[in-house]
Coordinates of all heavy atoms in Angstrom, one line a residue:
I27 N -12.5 -0.9 68.6 CA -12.0 -0.3 69.8 C -10.5 -0.7 69.9 O -10.1 -1.8 69.9 CB -12.7 -0.7 71.1 CG1 -14.2 -0.2 71.0 CG2 -12.0 -0.1 72.3 CD1 -15.1 -0.7 72.1
A28 N -9.6 0.3 70.0 CA -8.2 0.1 70.1 C -7.8 -0.4 71.5 O -8.3 0.2 72.5 CB -7.4 1.4 69.8
A29 N -7.0 -1.4 71.5 CA -6.4 -1.8 72.8 C -4.9 -1.7 72.6 O -4.3 -2.2 71.7 CB -6.7 -3.3 73.0
I30 N -4.3 -0.9 73.5 CA -2.8 -0.6 73.4 C -2.1 -1.5 74.4 O -2.5 -1.6 75.6 CB -2.6 0.8 73.8 CG1 -3.4 1.8 73.0 CG2 -1.1 1.2 73.8 CD1 -3.1 1.9 71.6
N31 N -1.1 -2.3 74.0 CA -0.3 -3.1 74.8 C 1.2 -2.9 74.4 O 1.5 -3.2 73.3 CB -0.7 -4.6 74.6 CG -2.1 -4.9 75.1 OD1 -2.4 -4.8 76.2 ND2 -2.9 -5.2 74.1
Q32 N 1.9 -2.3 75.3 CA 3.3 -2.0 75.0 C 4.3 -2.8 75.9 O 4.1 -2.9 77.1 CB 3.6 -0.5 75.2 CG 2.8 0.4 74.3 CD 3.3 0.3 72.9 OE1 4.3 -0.3 72.5 NE2 2.5 0.9 72.0
R80 N -8.6 2.3 81.5 CA -7.8 1.8 82.6 C -6.4 1.5 82.0 O -6.3 0.8 81.0 CB -8.4 0.5 83.2 CG -7.5 -0.1 84.3 CD -8.3 -1.1 85.1 NE -9.4 -0.5 85.8 CZ -10.6 -0.8 85.7 NH1 -11.0 -1.7 84.8 NH2 -11.6 -0.1 86.4
T82 N -3.0 -0.2 82.9 CA -2.3 -1.1 83.8 C -0.8 -1.1 83.4 O -0.5 -1.0 82.3 CB -2.8 -2.5 83.8 OG1 -2.8 -3.0 82.5 CG2 -4.3 -2.6 84.3
Y88 N 3.0 -1.7 79.7 CA 1.7 -1.0 80.1 C 0.7 -1.3 79.0 O 1.0 -1.6 77.9 CB 1.9 0.5 80.3 CG 2.3 1.3 79.0 CD1 1.3 1.9 78.2 CD2 3.6 1.5 78.6 CE1 1.6 2.6 77.1 CE2 3.9 2.3 77.5 CZ 2.9 2.8 76.7 OH 3.2 3.5 75.6
S89 N -0.6 -1.2 79.4 CA -1.7 -1.3 78.5 C -2.7 -0.3 78.8 O -2.9 0.1 79.9 CB -2.2 -2.7 78.5 OG -2.9 -3.0 79.8
I90 N -3.4 0.1 77.7 CA -4.5 1.0 77.8 C -5.8 0.3 77.3 O -5.8 -0.1 76.1 CB -4.3 2.3 77.0 CG1 -3.0 3.0 77.4 CG2 -5.4 3.3 77.1 CD1 -2.5 4.1 76.4
Q91 N -6.7 0.1 78.2 CA -7.9 -0.6 77.9 C -9.2 0.2 78.0 O -9.3 1.0 78.9 CB -8.1 -1.8 78.8 CG -6.9 -2.8 78.7 CD -6.8 -3.5 77.4 OE1 -7.7 -3.8 76.7 NE2 -5.5 -3.6 76.9
Y92 N -10.1 0.0 77.1 CA -11.4 0.7 77.1 C -12.2 0.2 78.3 O -12.3 -1.0 78.6 CB -12.1 0.4 75.8 CG -13.5 0.9 75.8 CD1 -13.8 2.2 75.5 CD2 -14.6 0.0 75.9 CE1 -15.1 2.7 75.4 CE2 -15.9 0.5 75.9 CZ -16.2 1.8 75.6 OH -17.5 2.3 75.6
Y109 N -12.1 8.2 69.7 CA -11.6 7.5 70.9 C -10.2 6.9 70.5 O -9.3 7.1 71.3 CB -12.6 6.4 71.3 CG -11.9 5.5 72.3 CD1 -11.9 5.8 73.7 CD2 -11.3 4.3 71.9 CE1 -11.2 5.0 74.6 CE2 -10.7 3.5 72.8 CZ -10.7 3.8 74.2 OH -10.0 3.0 75.1
N110 N -10.1 6.2 69.4 CA -8.9 5.6 69.0 C -7.8 6.7 68.9 O -6.6 6.4 69.3 CB -9.0 4.8 67.8 CG -9.8 3.5 68.0 OD1 -10.0 3.0 69.1 ND2 -10.4 3.0 66.9
V113 N -6.6 7.7 72.4 CA -5.7 6.7 73.2 C -4.4 6.5 72.5 O -3.4 6.3 73.1 CB -6.4 5.4 73.5 CG1 -7.6 5.6 74.4 CG2 -6.8 4.7 72.2
H114 N -4.4 6.6 71.1 CA -3.1 6.6 70.4 C -2.2 7.8 70.8 O -1.0 7.6 70.9 CB -3.3 6.4 68.9 CG -3.7 5.1 68.5 ND1 -3.0 3.9 68.6 CD2 -4.9 4.6 68.0 CE1 -3.6 2.9 68.2 NE2 -4.8 3.3 67.8
N115 N -2.8 9.0 70.9 CA -2.1 10.2 71.3 C -1.5 10.0 72.7 O -0.4 10.4 73.0 CB -2.9 11.4 71.2 CG -3.2 11.9 69.8 OD1 -2.5 11.5 68.8 ND2 -4.2 12.7 69.6
L116 N -2.3 9.4 73.6 CA -1.9 9.2 75.0 C -0.7 8.2 75.0 O 0.3 8.4 75.6 CB -3.0 8.7 75.8 CG -2.7 8.2 77.3 CD1 -2.1 9.4 78.0 CD2 -3.9 7.6 77.9
D117 N -0.8 7.2 74.2 CA 0.2 6.2 74.1 C 1.5 6.8 73.6 O 2.6 6.6 74.1 CB -0.2 5.0 73.1 CG 0.9 4.0 72.9 OD1 1.6 3.7 73.8 OD2 0.9 3.5 71.7
Q118 N 1.4 7.6 72.5 CA 2.6 8.3 72.0 C 3.3 9.2 73.1 O 4.5 9.2 73.2 CB 2.3 9.2 70.8 CG 2.1 8.4 69.5 CD 1.8 9.3 68.4 OE1 1.1 10.3 68.5 NE2 2.4 8.9 67.2
I120 N 3.1 8.9 76.3 CA 3.8 8.0 77.3 C 5.1 7.5 76.8 O 6.1 7.6 77.5 CB 2.8 6.8 77.7 CG1 1.6 7.3 78.4 CG2 3.6 5.8 78.6 CD1 0.5 6.2 78.6
Q121 N 5.1 7.0 75.6 CA 6.4 6.6 75.0 C 7.5 7.7 74.9 O 8.6 7.4 75.2 CB 6.1 6.0 73.6 CG 5.4 4.7 73.6 CD 5.2 4.1 72.2 OE1 6.2 4.0 71.5 NE2 4.0 3.7 71.9

Side-chain angles (χ1 to χ4, degrees):
I27 296 172
I30 308 293
N31 296 295
Q32 296 291 352
R80 176 164 295 118
T82 56
Y88 69 90
S89 66
I90 303 171
Q91 301 295 320
Y92 173 80
Y109 167 82
N110 288 339
V113 295
H114 285 294
N115 286 341
L116 175 60
D117 178 37
Q118 283 184 321
I120 293 169
Q121 288 183 49

